[in-house]
Amino acid sequence: MPARYEEIAADLQKKIKAGELKPGQRLKTEKELMAEYGSARNTVRDAINRLKVLRLVQSRQGSGNFVVKQPELFKITLTPEKETGFSGGEGEAWTTEASKQGRDAWVSSTKVLIEQADETQSRELGINEGDDLILRHQRRYITDEADEDVPWSMQTSYYPFSFVERGAAALKKRQDIEEGTMAYLEEKLGIRQDRYTDTLWIRPPDEDERDFFKLPAESSVWVYEHKRTVYDTEDRPCRYTVTVYPTDRNEFVIEARLPR
């Protein structure tokens, strides 16, 4: 049987989700909740703390506890669109997808590093462990209904350093590559993406992710980690990308046509 505070928290959560308690509305006082649920003060406090962990309620000093507005879900289509060949989490496709959902999207300045490939990166890019690679990292935002910028994802892409040596010098520059890195690689090196493989799972956020996405320290909101390896027309890996999304504001869509 659940503890009494869990029952109270579940009932209040149900009221929040049903709209009986609306965003910005103040909860009843502890004394009023004690009377309503016939429970001790500590039990009611535990229930409220549970709602705080779930990011459903927040305290305002001297004013009480208030219902928190939940982030608007953003749909990310993992299958490629016809126009660009990209899916909603990358390149032009993610800004296009944001526009279709009535949202604006923008990215931070690009952080560029030269690192030595670890075991995973070397395997995914088909290079030796310890070989140099280019790391390009961006933090990405979308606007919500109130026209506020919401941290949406963190994306890091890795490329063999040999691409720079062959003439793709823009990879090691900090400015964004407007046409997209794959379009740039096709123009400079004749590397054309042909297919990709995806891996997706859920895990607790690390400290940097909690800070950027403004997640509670209790890690009640986890993150999706989406890993994609892109292959060219010669079936050689040419890009390895890791994108992190908070689970409270994103959902994924995979479209498929059945064989006939």
Side-chain angles (χ1 to χ4, degrees):
M1 293 290 293
R4 181 57 179 156
Y5 83 89
E6 293 176 322
E7 293 177 336
I8 297 171
D11 187 61
L12 291 170
Q13 182 177 359
K14 182 179 178 181
K15 290 178 180 178
I16 291 171
K17 291 191 180 252
E20 295 178 41
L21 295 171
K22 302 184 182 301
Q25 182 175 342
R26 184 173 66 84
L27 292 185
K28 293 180 179 180
T29 65
E30 288 183 356
K31 188 174 181 179
E32 290 170 331
L33 291 173
M34 287 165 59
E36 179 178 347
Y37 290 103
S39 297
R41 185 181 299 274
N42 285 343
T43 301
V44 168
R45 284 182 176 174
D46 287 343
I48 293 173
N49 286 334
R50 175 63 177 162
L51 296 178
K52 291 177 182 177
V53 168
L54 295 173
R55 298 190 76 201
L56 297 174
V57 166
Q58 66 179 5
S59 294
R60 298 180 190 172
Q61 189 172 6
S63 299
N65 299 299
F66 292 80
V67 178
V68 175
K69 178 184 176 183
Q70 298 304 297
E72 183 182 0
L73 281 177
F74 185 86
K75 293 184 178 180
I76 306 156
T77 305
L78 291 183
T79 40
E81 61 176 24
K82 295 180 181 179
E83 291 80 5
T84 65
F86 295 103
S87 70
E90 60 181 348
E92 294 178 23
W94 81 278
T95 54
T96 301
E97 193 156 44
S99 178
K100 288 178 180 177
Q101 296 178 50
R103 316 279 283 276
D104 291 324
W106 63 279
V107 300
S108 68
S109 58
T110 304
K111 178 181 179 181
V112 179
L113 296 173
I114 299 175
E115 294 186 347
Q116 292 183 322
D118 62 21
E119 181 181 0
T120 299
Q121 296 157 355
S122 62
R123 181 181 67 248
E124 296 299 326
L125 287 172
I127 59 179
N128 295 320
E129 188 171 350
D131 283 358
D132 285 343
L133 50 74
I134 295 287
L135 176 158
R136 295 178 60 84
H137 175 81
Q138 288 182 323
R139 300 189 170 196
R140 308 194 293 177
Y141 302 79
I142 54 173
T143 58
D144 62 11
E145 294 174 331
D147 202 31
E148 295 180 356
D149 293 324
V150 178
W152 175 58
S153 68
M154 302 169 66
Q155 186 170 88
T156 306
S157 292
Y158 304 88
Y159 305 87
F161 190 79
S162 60
F163 289 179
V164 174
E165 297 172 328
R166 289 166 55 189
L171 285 180
K172 64 178 182 179
K173 295 181 180 179
R174 279 184 275 189
Q175 68 261 34
D176 189 31
I177 299 176
E178 293 185 6
E179 68 271 32
T181 53
M182 292 312 301
Y184 172 74
L185 289 175
E186 183 173 0
E187 176 189 353
K188 290 294 183 180
L189 305 180
I191 295 173
R192 184 166 177 259
Q193 74 168 2
D194 182 64
R195 68 179 182 90
Y196 56 73
T197 60
D198 283 350
T199 304
L200 182 68
W201 67 87
I202 298 175
R203 60 167 174 79
D206 62 27
E207 185 176 352
D208 185 42
E209 292 160 352
R210 280 199 304 269
D211 182 60
F212 173 62
F213 295 123
K214 300 177 182 176
L215 302 178
E218 299 85 356
S219 296
S220 58
V221 178
W222 284 24
V223 295
Y224 300 108
E225 185 171 85
H226 174 213
K227 295 186 176 182
R228 170 168 292 179
T229 303
V230 177
Y231 298 83
D232 64 15
T233 52
E234 302 296 323
D235 211 35
R236 296 172 299 201
C238 53
R239 190 190 76 200
Y240 173 55
T241 297
V242 179
T243 311
V244 178
Y245 306 88
T247 59
D248 65 346
R249 67 202 69 171
N250 291 286
E251 62 181 356
F252 294 98
V253 178
I254 299 175
E255 299 174 347
R257 186 181 297 277
L258 297 176
R260 297 180 180 179

